[in-house]
């Protein structure tokens, strides 16, 4: 089965057109008329997150810096110039507490995957898709019943149950990162790190290329780029390459099992996959 | 029924300067947005009620990049999610500097003919 997605999100529309598209995502009667848009919805979650955990914008900024660092080693990444936490904090305000560098860019791109009942004949390890799960608790930000239980955990538990494995056996993370807050919220709800502890976990080195659970080694949506459906599929392509041992110059130490997790909407539509290396 | 038809008591209420929300006639749960069925118990008998307009700020953002020309003229503007005392959660505009946890009271403002909720500190 061929899974293919490609879009010219950057060159195929004007910047204002893209922003207007993102402004139609909310509830048509309760949210959109307010002049809100996708960054504002995620910003509302980010302000609540920082408030609940007593964290700062510098904590969220760490994720943008890490994604940029990882993108630098990928030849197809969109944004590769190194950035610092100070750069993120000084970047153009979009919707507080999110600045430009807390947000993914709008990108052109395409990704193709071949999913087969037969193991790959390519060089490297075969990689099996062993579990999949979904959860859909809400559609719009105003309707989120519990910001600590938005569907990520329920989705991942279904995928882990199908795969007959658990988070403790995961040694690679491919997590949707539309905004810095997306990563923090997902990593914590997935149970990768304690509530409010994802930035501290990052600073410990766990998500780096030599860490226990490297995260988005292609640079994620925030720096590899976000071309719509292809943007999320790039996480799968990178997880596959790392597990298969086909990541070339950016190959990390052998990995056995990846957790992939993505959301659509405003942390609304959750999907998780488990990829495992076969001998 | 389109969602806009479902939301009609809310949008018509706003045009009259009244905040309305749905409540389940079986379990009493206040709904968020407009619903066909209760998100707590599944009951389809939901009644619309006038809210007092008082509540507490759940989250806040100051928007610097507006999606449309009408809002570009307002930049920067503050958006909040407010938990009404009746239990519903509503998005609205607010003055700069409002913080999470602040007590607020709603009024209705009009921008380009569109009625919008504005929350001010009590």
């Amino acid at each position: 089965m061929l899974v293919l997605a490609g879009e010219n999100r950057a060159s195929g529309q004007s910047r204002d057109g893209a922003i207007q598209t993102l402004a139609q995502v909310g509830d048509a009667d309760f949210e959109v008329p307010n002049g809100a848009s996708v960054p504002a919805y995620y910003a509302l979650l980010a302000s609540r997150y920082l408030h609940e955990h007593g964290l700062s914008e510098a904590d969220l900024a760490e994720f943008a810096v890490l994604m940029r660092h990882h993108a630098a080693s990928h030849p197809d990444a969109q944004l590769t110039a190194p950035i610092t936490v100070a750069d993120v904090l000084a970047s153009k305000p979009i919707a507080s507490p999110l600045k430009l560098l807390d947000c993914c860019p709008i990108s052109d791109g395409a990704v193709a995957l071949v999913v087969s009942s037969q193991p790959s004949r390519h060089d490297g390890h075969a990689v099996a898709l062993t579990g999949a799960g979904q959860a859909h608790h809400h559609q719009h930000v105003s309707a989120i019943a519990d910001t600590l239980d938005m569907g990520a955990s329920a989705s991942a538990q279904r995928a882990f149950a199908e795969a007959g494995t658990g988070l403790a056996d995961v040694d690679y993370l491919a997590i949707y990162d539309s905004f810095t807050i997306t990563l923090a919220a997902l990593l914590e709800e997935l149970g990768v790190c304690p509530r409010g502890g994802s930035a501290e976990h990052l600073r410990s080195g766990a998500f780096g290329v030599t860490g226990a659970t490297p995260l988005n080694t292609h640079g994620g949506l925030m720096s590899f780029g976000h071309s719509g459906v292809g943007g999320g599929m790039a996480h799968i392509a990178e997880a596959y390459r790392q597990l298969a041992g086909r990541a070339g110059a950016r190959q990390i130490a052998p990995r056995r099992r990846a957790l992939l997790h993505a959301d659509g909407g405003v942390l609304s539509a959750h999907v998780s996959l488990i990829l495992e290396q076969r001998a | 029924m389109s969602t806009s038809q479902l939301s009609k008591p809310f949008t018509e209420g706003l045009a009259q300067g009244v905040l309305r929300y749905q409540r389940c006639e079986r379990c009493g749960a206040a709904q968020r947005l407009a619903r066909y069925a209760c998100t707590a118990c599944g009951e389809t008998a939901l009644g619309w009620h006038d809210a007092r307009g008082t509540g507490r700020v759940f989250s806040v953002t100051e928007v610097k990049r507006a999606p449309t020309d009408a809002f570009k003229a307002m930049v920067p503007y503050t958006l909040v999610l407010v938990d009404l005392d009746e239990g519903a959660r509503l998005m609205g505009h607010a003055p700069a500097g409002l913080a999470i946890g602040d007590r607020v009271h709603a009024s209705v403002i009009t921008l380009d003919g569109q009625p919008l909720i504005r929350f001010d500190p009590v």
Side-chain angles (χ1 to χ4, degrees), chain A:
Chain A
M1 181 172 61
L2 173 66
V3 186
L4 172 68
E7 285 179 73
N8 289 336
R9 285 221 169 174
S11 62
Q13 60 183 344
S14 70
R15 181 178 298 177
D16 279 352
I19 288 168
Q20 281 173 28
T21 301
L22 292 173
Q24 300 307 314
V25 168
D27 183 278
D29 298 305
F30 287 81
E31 296 178 347
V32 170
N34 288 299
S37 72
V38 171
Y41 300 139
Y42 276 84
L44 286 166
L45 290 175
S47 76
R48 183 71 199 181
Y49 171 85
L50 296 181
H51 172 82
E52 280 184 0
H53 300 299
L55 297 171
S56 73
E57 296 180 27
D59 291 305
L60 289 178
E62 297 273 12
F63 288 99
V65 173
L66 181 72
M67 290 303 98
R68 185 62 60 88
H69 180 65
H70 285 177
S73 63
H74 198 301
D76 301 328
Q78 180 179 359
L79 302 172
T80 56
I83 56 172
T84 64
V85 166
D87 292 332
V88 179
L89 296 178
S91 63
K92 185 178 148 188
I94 301 293
S96 66
L98 303 178
K99 285 80 58 193
L100 185 66
L101 293 178
D102 286 291
C103 310
C104 63
I106 295 168
S107 316
D108 292 350
V111 174
L113 308 169
V114 175
V115 183
S116 168
S117 60
Q118 302 299 314
S120 166
R121 292 181 191 164
H122 286 288
D123 293 342
H125 302 282
V127 174
L129 171 58
T130 57
Q134 296 186 42
H136 308 271
H137 290 184
H138 65 270
Q139 182 176 4
H140 300 301
V141 67
S142 303
I144 296 175
D146 182 354
T147 54
L148 300 180
D149 183 19
M150 294 187 280
S153 175
S155 169
Q157 282 168 22
R158 288 175 186 132
F160 279 129
E162 187 178 18
T165 184
L167 190 59
D169 297 320
V170 164
D171 57 12
Y172 183 86
L173 294 167
I175 310 294
Y176 200 77
D177 58 319
S178 48
F179 299 92
T180 50
I181 179 61
T182 319
L183 268 181
L186 290 177
L187 287 164
E188 293 172 23
E189 190 180 319
L190 289 166
V192 173
C193 25
R195 295 292 183 180
S198 55
E200 189 184 335
H201 204 69
L202 181 155
R203 285 189 286 265
S204 78
F207 299 140
V209 292
T210 59
T213 51
L215 171 69
N216 300 347
T217 51
H218 65 310
L221 299 168
M222 274 192 278
S223 281
F224 181 82
H226 193 346
S227 60
V229 174
M233 282 171 57
H235 293 65
I236 308 178
E238 178 70 1
Y240 162 75
R241 284 170 166 164
Q242 293 291 358
L243 291 178
R246 299 182 66 202
R250 59 174 199 290
Q251 181 66 50
I252 56 178
R255 298 288 110 181
R256 298 300 304 274
R257 191 171 288 103
L259 167 63
L260 297 96
H261 188 88
D263 79 273
V266 187
L267 287 158
S268 316
H270 291 267
V271 59
S272 311
L273 300 175
I274 309 297
L275 293 186
E276 297 188 52
Q277 188 200 78
R278 293 292 190 237

Side-chain angles (χ1 to χ4, degrees), chain A residues 15-16 19-20 23 27-31 33-37 40-41 43-44 47-48 51 92-97 140-145 147, chain B residues 3-4 7 10-11 32-35 48 57-67 71-72 77 79-81 89-93 100 114 116:
Chain A
R15 181 178 298 177
D16 279 352
I19 288 168
Q20 281 173 28
D27 183 278
D29 298 305
F30 287 81
E31 296 178 347
N34 288 299
S37 72
Y41 300 139
L44 286 166
S47 76
R48 183 71 199 181
H51 172 82
K92 185 178 148 188
I94 301 293
S96 66
H140 300 301
V141 67
S142 303
I144 296 175
T147 54
Chain B
T3 56
S4 284
S7 305
F10 171 77
T11 49
R32 293 173 180 182
L33 308 176
R35 299 290 176 176
W48 284 95
V57 176
F58 175 78
S59 63
V60 59
T61 181
E62 186 180 52
V63 177
K64 293 277 182 68
R65 187 68 165 93
F71 283 102
K72 277 177 189 165
Y77 52 91
L79 295 179
V80 287
L81 286 175
R89 180 174 290 167
L90 286 175
M91 187 177 290
H93 283 254
I100 291 172
Q114 167 74 47
L116 298 172

Side-chain angles (χ1 to χ4, degrees), chain B residues 67-91:
Chain B
T68 63
D69 288 340
F71 283 102
K72 277 177 189 165
M74 278 183 75
V75 163
Y77 52 91
T78 299
L79 295 179
V80 287
L81 286 175
V82 167
D83 287 333
L84 297 181
D85 292 338
E86 291 89 350
R89 180 174 290 167
L90 286 175
M91 187 177 290

